[in-house]
Amino acid sequence: MALKIVKGSIDRMFDKNLQDLVRGIRNHKEDEAKYISTCIDEIKQELKQDNIAVKANAVCKLTYLQMLGYDVSWAAFNIVEVMSSSKFTYKRIGYLAASQCFHEGTDVIMLTTNQIRKDLSSPNQYDTGVALTGLSCFVTPDLARDLANDIMTLMSHTKPYIRKKAVLIMYKVFLKYPESLRPAFPRLKEKLEDPDPGVQSAAVNVICELARRNPKNYLSLAPLFFKLMTSSTNNWVLIKIIKLFGALTPLEPRLGKKLIEPLTNLIHSTSAMSLLYECVNTVIAVLISLSSGMPNHSASIQLCVQKLRILIEDSDQNLKYLGLLAMSKILKTHPKSVQSHKDLILQCLDDKDESIRLRALDLLYGMVSKKNLMEIVKKLMLHVDKAEGTTYRDELQHTCNTKLCNCSTLILLRYISILVELTRLEGTRHGHLIASQMLDVAIRVKAIRAFAVAQMAMLLDNAHLLTGNMQRNGICEVLYAAAWICGEFSEHLEDPNQTLEAMLRPKVATLPGHIQAVYVQNAAKLFATVLRKHEGATDSQAAQETSQLLVERLPLFVQSANLEVQERASCILQLVKYIQKLQQKDVEVAEEVSALFAGELNPVAPKAQKKVPVPEGLDLDAWINEPPSESESEDEKPKAVFAKEETKHSRPRHTEVDEKELARRREARKQEQANNPFYIKSSPSSQKVYQDAPGVEHIPVVQIDLSVPLKVPGMPMSDQYLKLEEERRQKEKAEKKKKEKKKKREKHGKGKKHDSGPESEEDITPAHHVDIVTEEMPENALPSDDDDKDPNDPHKVYDIQGNLQDGSQVVVSVIFENKSDSFLKSMEFNVLDSLNSKLQRPEGAGPHDGLVVPFQLPPGVSNEARFIFSVQSIVMPQKLKGTLTFIVKSEDSSTHEKLDFKLHFTCTSYLITTPCYSDAYAKLLESGDLKSSSLRLEGVNMPFHHLLARICFHHHFSVVERIDSCASMYSRSIQGHHVCLLVKTADQTVSIDAKCDEPSLLGNVLDEIKQTFSQC
Amino acid sequence: MIKAILIFNNHGKPRLIRFYQYFAEDMQQQIIRETFHLVSKRDDNVCNFLEGGSLIGGSDYKLIYRHYATLYFVFCVDSSESELGILDLIQVSVIIVNVCFHVQVFVETLDKCFENVCELDLIFHMDKVHYILQEVVMGGMVLETNMNEIVAQVELQNRMEKSEGGLSAAPARAVSAVKNMNLPEIPRNINIGDINIKVPSLSPF
């Protein structure tokens, strides 16, 4: 026996320990893998020995090898053996190895349950500690279930060292075995007030993690945490709690209000930056969660911004970064308070740290407003020049491109020069984007074309600087835009000859084909302009020289490999040659040549096509020719033709050719559309477009992994939802664009008729969504209820009609319709009286009592009730607030419900349509008793008779006389005021001159008329 | 939650790895490589936060790291952890490692030595560093931030190990000593440079 021990010791002398292994690996740098494999063989030998010390040593080495990436799972059983050693030294090694390489799939884990239980109840606290630590890394659902009770007991161990570990590991146990949460929670809550700060901290930690997963369930603990927050001095605990509050406040705004004060105190008092930062963050979260419009919190915001400024000004990059991060959160809700620190943020752009620059840029992006735009752009441009790092620069340009464009003319001028300056940078990926922006601006804003053309001509002249970069999306795309703008708006060019020459340089042939094609085509346009100029100056010599230039240079393009370039070039070459002949005969040709490119194309809204009404008797689905037809090139829906063809006919040979041809043409057309600046790219806004554009499926749709299924009724698939979402966004964008366009048109006073004709064909719908039956009761006033009412209310829809009796009494008839499925009864109608208008209540009733509606409503039934109001003055519009209370009776229950509404007594509703003869009308106007006032409406885009109909319909006027685009109208109020209108229209502008013996009534009526037309 | 603690040197060699979520070994190595790639190209004068790598975590995860002379300490954490808090925690851990390995030095020059960490301590005593870290972070959650408490617990456990005779009994130690003598080129104590890293608010812990 003794001999054996001695032998074991001698053997061990030659064993490597961990240090030897490390040293060995360091000495075998060249054949590390080989060395390690011999080591692993040794370790395998060692593991076969009985001596636990040898085994532990081997396992320790395995842990090191595991770190180097070697799979050691084959030794799992030996690890368990070492774990079960009675010596702490070996046990610790075993648990460490287990925590590094055991996982849920390790099958020997199930052998450890009893060993771990034994260790947990060991009298040695470090045995227990090591077991807990190890278990925290490899706990499985089975282990959690079997050991939950043991761990729960340990939570009230006498030693705080064990308690804190037991508390902390409970989180892992909850994750793996959720059933344990309920029984363990009371004890966990108890530990929040443990005398030992370590245990307390652990309990806070666990609850914070739990609350992050499911905040709602932990709202009830808020008071306890609140107490801890005000009493604890442990910064780590405070940070955790404050972070937790940040997560809870969105659920419970009342909590936020309470938090503000202690947090503000902490911000003032703490010296720890980490705590300060978290406090500021949570205050921001609170302020975001509180509904805006709470002026008394501006102090808190100010404080936050102030403290953040200190962080940003700090020399520590970490504080700077976090400060900017928090600032961007404030920016979302309180942009004004951030904007005052613009200087600081601009400074951060100079920082040497790229992530700080990116953060600052992000902030600037959100801060841009009309006022500070110029300054920010200037600063940004300075930066673009010296910017390093591709991400940063791309981001910078992206900011410039997307954010800074939608502003007024002055800014657009600047924008163009920015774009031009951007092109000077090499290596950008945004060439395409810049090009399309240039085209967009130049086409849509006439006022800046001259400037744009001058800039573009300069670009073309310096094209050699750009062509170094031939990437598809590279900067040479800009030349595409430049050439087109110069050609199309060549009348603005100062020196068209020079530009023409620049466009025909041999170097151009190295550009991508589609750009060359644009060059050639626009060279022709320029040629036309040059000819005109020369013939205008009767300089036939110069004109001929220009033709000669083209004849010399164009053959280069005729040889182009690109079909489009070749075709256009040879076409134009022949044309020029013919012109040259004519010129030699001294024939004036400029007019004819210009006619080739005459006419200006206007940008077309993406929705315009849809708005064109289908002429009567035209069936778009009907066959024009017998299929297979030869005229498919202009078909609206080539795909439909296609599909039907396939199903109906056994295809003859030539059809197949046609199909190929068709496909080719379609492809070509798409290509053309893509390159045609006038064709505003198809936004997938209608179903039809979706079907026709095969490209849509290729747009990568981001897979969103949601733990909660999206609840979109009738849209079970999330990608469909995304599509819908996309569609909606596109529509919005299109609409915004349209508005923008309108604005611009107004600004520049271009009264040119826009091709939005189809829009005016919209039917005249009443402005309000209430069904008002005026025709039947021409004497009616119309107090329509206001927009505040939810039109989707399941229970009720009101139809309200006012019936005027005499000068001071108005009868309002209300139609109650039960749109729900339940029986409604005990309805009570109440209105909050104003000084001017009062609901007439029966004798004896108080001024705030409601009136009982004298009927009940079964589902789907409607009925009418009348209420009398007394009105003092009719010269002002009135809005009365009211409520309807009722009982909803369903099969097994009945509930009280309330519906708020507003009664809107417009001034118009006091007018009565009264016919008036022209001579009486003339007398009235001559009498001189009437005060006059007038109104101008701009941008009204409807036929004159529609306009008059609207005024008659909505405002109870009658037409007295109408001559061409001028009409006189008359109405009378219930108190006998005369109201006369003279309506004139010219060029989308409607002017209304009005006279009335009561000026304020007149003013209000005119306001209401204006309202009506602003809604159309 | 802390998802992983990675310590590697300036060449990306791992010195200690601790994942609190299971990854297979090759994946672990890939994560180390990616993290090293992200971290190593950053200057020392830039901020210590990185918006997560692609392999570990995702958008909610951040890398928070400190660079000491030859070593990078990287913590991968989610948004429940305070960025500055974790930075402090790294600093605290480093100091504790130093204290536990060089108690006598601690007494002599308290302030200077502990801004740095000796890579050799980690190279040859990875297991011991693990034991120290286990007293700071457990199962991905911060267990203790009080430095004195941690040092005391580590010391007590080491003392217990000593009383059991340690892992390698006397004969093996003698052999190591002999082996050590054969390799004089290995420096005993490397303390490279003193990079001045500003520690914000260390005292509150």
Side-chain angles (χ1 to χ4, degrees):
Chain A
M1 182 66 193
L3 189 70
K4 201 180 173 190
I5 292 174
V6 170
K7 188 175 172 283
S9 303
I10 290 172
D11 277 351
R12 294 205 45 216
M13 280 176 67
F14 303 102
D15 287 348
K16 288 194 190 89
N17 63 13
L18 175 62
Q19 284 76 34
D20 299 327
L21 175 74
V22 174
R23 204 171 288 124
I25 294 173
R26 283 161 73 85
N27 287 336
H28 290 80
K29 285 218 166 76
E30 301 81 34
D31 50 350
E32 194 183 290
K34 200 176 147 206
Y35 178 76
I36 289 176
S37 73
T38 58
C39 285
I40 289 178
D41 288 341
E42 278 170 30
I43 289 168
K44 280 183 179 160
Q45 286 304 317
E46 287 167 23
L47 287 175
K48 278 179 192 156
Q49 293 187 33
D50 292 334
N51 191 329
I52 192 74
V54 177
K55 271 188 188 160
N57 189 33
V59 165
C60 187
K61 288 190 276 184
L62 280 179
T63 314
Y64 185 81
L65 293 179
Q66 194 271 344
M67 176 181 78
L68 297 184
Y70 291 86
D71 178 22
V72 297
S73 55
W74 49 268
F77 186 75
N78 303 104
I79 293 173
V80 175
E81 274 182 311
V82 175
M83 274 162 72
S84 56
S85 157
S86 58
K87 277 197 174 183
F88 171 72
T89 314
Y90 304 146
K91 192 184 288 296
R92 186 154 80 155
I93 291 171
Y95 273 107
L96 175 63
S99 66
Q100 290 289 74
C101 60
F102 281 13
H103 54 94
E104 281 193 20
T106 310
D107 43 6
V108 293
I109 276 193
M110 59 187 195
L111 302 176
T112 62
T113 316
N114 280 325
Q115 178 58 40
I116 295 173
R117 182 172 285 142
K118 212 176 104 195
D119 287 336
L120 289 181
S121 55
S122 157
N124 181 346
Q125 64 162 327
Y126 293 113
D127 281 352
T128 315
V130 154
L132 284 171
T133 307
L135 189 61
S136 74
C137 291
F138 58 79
V139 61
T140 62
D142 286 344
L143 281 178
R145 190 193 57 228
D146 296 339
L147 298 171
N149 264 328
D150 303 74
I151 298 170
M152 229 149 77
T153 340
L154 289 180
M155 281 168 78
S156 5
H157 199 272
T158 49
K159 297 246 167 63
Y161 179 73
I162 302 297
R163 282 211 303 275
K164 71 180 178 196
K165 287 199 170 189
V167 168
L168 213 53
I169 202 177
M170 279 317 278
Y171 177 64
K172 294 280 177 158
V173 174
F174 295 151
L175 286 188
K176 300 288 175 186
Y177 180 57
E179 287 86 340
S180 62
L181 179 58
R182 199 167 286 275
F185 195 73
R187 195 170 287 180
L188 184 62
K189 204 171 140 190
E190 227 168 72
K191 295 297 150 203
L192 282 176
E193 293 173 296
D194 195 278
D196 184 83
V199 181
Q200 198 185 45
S201 163
V204 169
N205 224 332
V206 170
I207 292 187
C208 287
E209 287 297 334
L210 288 172
R212 256 169 58 82
R213 294 184 158 247
N214 188 1
K216 250 187 208 148
N217 292 357
Y218 298 87
L219 267 177
S220 60
L221 289 180
L224 193 58
F225 277 118
F226 195 78
K227 207 175 97 192
L228 272 179
M229 185 176 79
T230 43
S231 62
S232 174
T233 51
N234 181 344
N235 279 350
W236 193 267
V237 171
L238 280 176
I239 287 176
K240 279 281 169 194
I241 293 176
I242 287 166
K243 276 194 131 265
L244 174 68
F245 276 137
L248 290 183
T249 40
L251 299 169
E252 181 53 275
R254 278 178 301 177
L255 180 65
K257 275 180 211 156
K258 277 197 134 185
L259 279 173
I260 291 273
E261 201 200 326
L263 284 179
T264 317
N265 289 344
L266 266 177
I267 290 175
H268 278 303
S269 63
T270 185
S271 61
M273 282 299 186
S274 46
L275 183 59
L276 172 77
Y277 174 69
E278 295 305 337
C279 284
V280 169
N281 244 339
T282 300
V283 171
I284 295 169
V286 167
L287 292 175
I288 290 171
S289 73
L290 290 177
S291 47
S292 54
M294 301 197 105
N296 51 334
H297 289 310
S298 62
S300 315
I301 278 287
Q302 228 36 54
L303 178 68
C304 287
V305 175
Q306 227 170 46
K307 288 285 173 185
L308 288 179
R309 186 177 174 108
I310 294 172
L311 289 187
I312 296 172
E313 279 171 341
D314 200 286
S315 60
D316 187 335
Q317 299 290 322
N318 294 324
L319 298 183
K320 201 171 268 200
Y321 175 85
L322 292 176
L324 289 171
L325 200 66
M327 208 60 127
S328 62
K329 284 182 201 157
I330 298 187
L331 184 69
K332 276 175 210 147
T333 47
H334 298 81
K336 279 222 175 87
S337 27
V338 179
Q339 261 159 11
S340 55
H341 298 280
K342 186 181 65 207
D343 54 324
L344 186 65
I345 290 153
L346 283 173
Q347 260 174 39
C348 288
L349 282 181
D350 293 321
D351 203 280
K352 51 196 176 291
D353 186 350
E354 187 177 330
S355 33
I356 286 178
R357 288 200 304 263
L358 277 173
R359 282 277 149 235
L361 198 60
D362 216 34
L363 267 172
L364 280 181
Y365 190 100
M367 278 165 59
V368 171
S369 72
K370 263 187 192 158
K371 271 183 206 156
N372 59 20
L373 183 100
M374 292 310 267
E375 192 190 337
I376 290 179
V377 167
K378 230 180 195 165
K379 183 86 183 172
L380 282 179
M381 287 321 297
L382 274 176
H383 274 278
V384 174
D385 284 342
K386 54 185 181 184
E388 289 161 20
T390 48
T391 351
Y392 176 60
R393 196 156 65 183
D394 281 338
E395 186 72 15
L396 199 62
Q397 294 189 351
H398 191 70
T399 309
C400 292
N401 281 345
T402 53
K403 185 66 189 181
L404 311 179
C405 50
N406 305 326
C407 297
S408 64
T409 328
L410 185 68
I411 292 163
L412 284 170
L413 284 180
R414 179 71 194 152
Y415 183 52
I416 286 281
S417 43
I418 291 167
L419 291 175
V420 173
E421 279 177 51
L422 278 175
T423 60
R424 304 234 170 90
L425 292 162
E426 272 177 50
T428 174
R429 292 186 282 113
H430 293 300
H432 198 74
L433 190 59
I434 295 175
S436 69
Q437 288 286 335
M438 282 177 173
L439 285 174
D440 200 40
V441 174
I443 293 167
R444 289 208 302 214
V445 189
K446 272 194 179 171
I448 66 153
R449 274 181 198 162
F451 179 78
V453 167
Q455 294 279 328
M456 293 303 122
M458 220 165 70
L459 252 184
L460 285 178
D461 219 22
N462 300 321
H464 55 281
L465 297 174
L466 301 173
T467 46
N469 189 346
M470 294 294 284
Q471 284 158 12
R472 179 82 177 81
N473 211 11
I475 202 67
C476 58
E477 288 290 334
V478 174
L479 294 175
Y480 170 92
W484 189 86
I485 292 173
C486 283
E488 185 64 23
F489 306 118
S490 52
E491 68 270 20
H492 296 295
L493 273 175
E494 266 175 38
D495 188 357
N497 249 331
Q498 163 86 13
T499 313
L500 183 60
E501 198 273 330
M503 277 167 83
L504 293 170
R505 281 178 199 153
K507 200 114 205 246
V508 172
T510 60
L511 288 171
H514 66 285
I515 298 179
Q516 282 187 54
V518 173
Y519 263 69
V520 172
Q521 186 72 13
N522 285 288
K525 290 185 201 167
L526 272 179
F527 175 60
T529 316
V530 174
L531 276 187
R532 267 177 88 128
K533 209 171 167 187
H534 288 320
E535 280 185 13
T538 55
D539 188 353
S540 61
Q541 185 61 34
Q544 286 190 24
E545 271 169 24
T546 316
S547 312
Q548 192 54 38
L549 178 76
L550 257 78
V551 172
E552 277 166 19
R553 298 280 178 89
L554 277 175
L556 178 72
F557 296 100
V558 176
Q559 293 157 11
S560 170
N562 186 302
L563 274 182
E564 186 78 27
V565 179
Q566 199 191 70
E567 199 174 33
R568 288 191 191 185
S570 55
C571 194
I572 290 166
L573 182 61
Q574 292 315 314
L575 183 74
V576 174
K577 277 183 180 162
Y578 182 65
I579 291 168
Q580 214 173 10
K581 261 184 219 159
L582 288 176
Q583 277 176 334
Q584 277 154 8
K585 289 179 199 157
D586 271 338
V587 181
E588 300 235 326
V589 286
E591 279 305 322
E592 275 97 33
V593 178
S594 306
L596 283 175
F597 307 107
E600 195 177 329
L601 295 170
N602 281 313
V604 179
K607 274 162 78 182
Q609 178 68 45
K610 224 168 49 184
K611 296 250 172 166
V612 176
V614 178
E616 223 172 292
L618 174 63
D619 182 3
L620 285 176
D621 294 328
W623 292 102
I624 300 169
N625 286 339
E626 272 305 302
S629 76
E630 295 296 322
S631 62
E632 49 281 84
S633 62
E634 282 310 306
D635 261 25
E636 272 295 308
K637 290 195 209 166
K639 217 165 195 176
V641 176
F642 222 5
K644 277 188 186 167
E645 210 171 66
E646 272 173 3
T647 48
K648 274 186 186 170
H649 303 273
S650 53
R651 283 174 282 165
R653 178 97 181 88
H654 68 277
T655 325
E656 227 168 77
V657 177
D658 276 353
E659 277 169 18
K660 271 184 197 155
E661 172 75 356
L662 199 73
R664 193 191 63 77
R665 282 190 202 177
R666 201 163 51 224
E667 203 48 52
R669 192 165 60 238
K670 224 165 269 157
Q671 194 63 39
E672 195 182 73
Q673 284 170 354
N675 293 336
N676 183 352
F678 286 126
Y679 192 89
I680 293 176
K681 308 291 179 292
S682 63
S683 59
S685 61
S686 72
Q687 203 54 38
K688 197 174 89 187
V689 176
Y690 257 112
Q691 284 164 355
D692 284 358
V696 172
E697 289 94 43
H698 303 300
I699 296 171
V701 176
V702 183
Q703 283 292 323
I704 299 182
D705 193 14
L706 288 167
S707 50
V708 185
L710 280 172
K711 281 180 189 136
V712 185
M715 279 294 156
M717 276 163 63
S718 65
D719 58 346
Q720 254 172 6
Y721 175 71
L722 278 178
K723 267 188 199 169
L724 227 79
E725 193 56 26
E726 179 76 6
E727 228 171 272
R728 189 183 59 76
R729 229 176 296 139
Q730 293 276 16
K731 258 185 206 160
E732 261 173 30
K733 221 189 283 171
E735 255 156 42
K736 222 185 284 164
K737 268 189 191 158
K738 212 186 291 167
K739 264 182 210 152
E740 215 174 85
K741 227 183 292 165
K742 269 184 195 158
K743 222 190 303 170
K744 277 172 196 154
R745 222 175 30 234
E746 275 165 31
K747 203 158 273 166
H748 307 303
K750 311 275 182 213
K752 194 165 172 279
K753 187 136 178 150
H754 184 62
D755 51 351
S756 57
E759 282 172 42
S760 65
E761 296 300 319
E762 285 170 16
D763 49 347
I764 304 172
T765 46
H768 284 285
H769 40 65
V770 186
D771 304 319
I772 304 164
V773 229
T774 340
E775 283 86 6
E776 291 167 15
M777 302 179 200
E779 304 263 280
N780 272 4
L782 292 172
S784 59
D785 54 347
D786 205 49
D787 296 9
D788 299 36
K789 201 191 80 186
D790 179 9
N792 299 325
D793 188 280
H795 293 304
K796 303 244 127 199
V797 155
Y798 285 81
D799 293 347
I800 298 176
Q801 301 170 349
N803 213 345
L804 300 175
Q805 287 206 329
D806 59 39
S808 60
Q809 275 198 348
V810 184
V811 173
V812 176
S813 58
V814 182
I815 296 173
F816 298 85
E817 185 183 353
N818 183 355
K819 291 195 155 181
S820 72
D821 298 322
S822 321
F823 192 85
L824 304 183
K825 62 174 200 175
S826 305
M827 289 187 282
E828 212 170 288
F829 181 89
N830 200 357
V831 172
L832 204 60
D833 290 349
S834 72
L835 273 179
N836 196 27
S837 321
K838 291 185 172 66
L839 175 64
Q840 291 204 343
R841 297 178 168 86
E843 288 281 335
H848 304 298
D849 290 355
L851 292 183
V852 176
V853 181
F855 49 76
Q856 299 178 335
L857 283 180
V861 171
S862 62
N863 205 338
E864 182 186 357
R866 290 173 178 240
F867 302 95
I868 302 166
F869 286 81
S870 58
V871 183
Q872 298 270 313
S873 156
I874 62 155
V875 299
M876 300 286 273
Q878 296 276 323
K879 253 183 208 175
L880 298 184
K881 275 189 190 168
T883 42
L884 181 82
T885 52
F886 52 91
I887 292 174
V888 182
K889 210 174 164 220
S890 55
E891 277 173 14
D892 42 10
S893 68
S894 58
T895 47
H896 263 281
E897 292 273 14
K898 199 178 97 169
L899 187 68
D900 287 327
F901 60 88
K902 274 186 184 172
L903 280 176
H904 193 177
F905 292 73
T906 56
C907 280
T908 296
S909 56
Y910 301 118
L911 298 182
I912 304 166
T913 317
T914 318
C916 183
Y917 295 105
S918 53
D919 43 356
Y921 190 76
K923 252 182 211 163
L924 188 66
L925 288 177
E926 278 163 18
S927 70
D929 299 335
L930 307 181
K931 314 278 182 299
S932 69
S933 176
S934 63
L935 174 70
R936 272 177 78 82
L937 301 165
E938 286 190 342
V940 177
N941 209 349
M942 63 171 77
F944 191 54
H945 64 275
H946 280 192
L947 183 105
L948 294 181
R950 259 179 202 241
I951 297 177
C952 291
F953 178 81
H954 290 292
H955 302 284
H956 314 157
F957 278 86
S958 57
V959 178
V960 181
E961 210 171 353
R962 181 185 162 186
I963 305 158
D964 289 330
S965 60
C966 178
S968 50
M969 307 179 87
Y970 175 77
S971 184
R972 201 161 69 94
S973 83
I974 53 169
Q975 291 179 350
H977 305 290
H978 303 281
V979 188
C980 309
L981 301 183
L982 182 64
V983 184
K984 282 181 278 193
T985 178
D987 246 354
Q988 298 194 359
T989 309
V990 178
S991 67
I992 300 177
D993 293 300
K995 285 192 170 184
C996 175
D997 38 11
E998 179 54 61
S1000 53
L1001 174 68
L1002 181 62
N1004 287 319
V1005 168
L1006 285 183
D1007 281 350
E1008 281 161 28
I1009 292 177
K1010 200 172 170 184
Q1011 191 86 29
T1012 314
F1013 286 97
S1014 68
Q1015 278 167 359
C1016 61
Chain B
M1 289 280 278
I2 299 167
K3 204 161 188 179
I5 299 174
L6 309 174
I7 305 176
F8 43 76
N9 72 359
N10 284 350
H11 306 291
K13 284 239 176 214
R15 291 304 175 212
L16 180 143
I17 55 171
R18 167 91 275 190
F19 286 89
Y20 295 102
Q21 181 191 342
Y22 174 70
F23 289 102
E25 276 76 13
D26 49 348
M27 190 62 186
Q28 291 185 354
Q29 295 301 312
Q30 226 170 309
I31 291 172
I32 295 170
R33 273 197 296 276
E34 192 201 55
T35 312
F36 170 71
H37 184 72
L38 284 172
V39 166
S40 62
K41 62 180 181 197
R42 291 171 68 83
D43 286 340
D44 272 342
N45 54 11
V46 303
C47 72
N48 300 77
F49 313 120
L50 262 172
E51 316 265 332
S54 56
L55 293 175
I56 191 164
S59 64
D60 195 36
Y61 283 83
K62 271 199 185 90
L63 298 177
I64 299 175
Y65 73 97
R66 274 187 182 278
H67 186 201
Y68 296 94
T70 58
L71 289 177
Y72 285 98
F73 282 65
V74 185
F75 278 47
C76 175
V77 304
D78 69 10
S79 60
S80 75
E81 301 293 343
S82 148
E83 291 93 339
L84 294 171
I86 294 289
L87 268 185
D88 288 352
L89 193 73
I90 298 177
Q91 186 78 16
V92 166
S93 315
V94 167
I95 292 174
I96 293 168
V97 169
N98 275 317
V99 169
C100 293
F101 280 97
H102 315 274
V103 180
Q104 69 285 12
V105 185
F106 179 51
V107 182
E108 288 159 16
T109 50
L110 185 109
D111 48 343
K112 204 178 172 192
C113 267
F114 296 102
E115 293 276 294
N116 255 314
V117 69
C118 172
E119 193 183 344
L120 284 181
D121 287 347
L122 271 102
I123 294 175
F124 289 107
H125 304 283
M126 183 205 75
D127 49 344
K128 300 217 166 49
V129 180
H130 263 298
Y131 300 141
I132 294 168
L133 264 185
Q134 280 179 358
E135 297 302 321
V136 183
V137 180
M138 184 178 135
M141 283 183 288
V142 178
L143 177 68
E144 183 61 71
T145 50
N146 183 336
M147 231 189 297
N148 295 332
E149 169 76 13
I150 297 166
V151 173
Q153 297 296 347
V154 172
E155 276 305 300
L156 278 171
Q157 292 179 57
N158 287 345
R159 218 169 288 166
M160 220 173 109
E161 189 180 298
K162 259 181 205 148
S163 72
E164 286 178 348
L167 172 61
S168 30
R173 273 206 185 151
V175 173
S176 316
V178 172
K179 283 176 187 162
N180 261 350
M181 289 204 300
N182 295 337
L183 298 162
E185 72 273 16
I186 291 186
R188 285 270 70 187
N189 215 345
I190 295 180
N191 216 345
I192 307 150
D194 28 327
I195 299 267
N196 229 350
I197 292 162
K198 206 186 153 206
V199 194
S201 64
L202 185 63
S203 45
F205 284 101

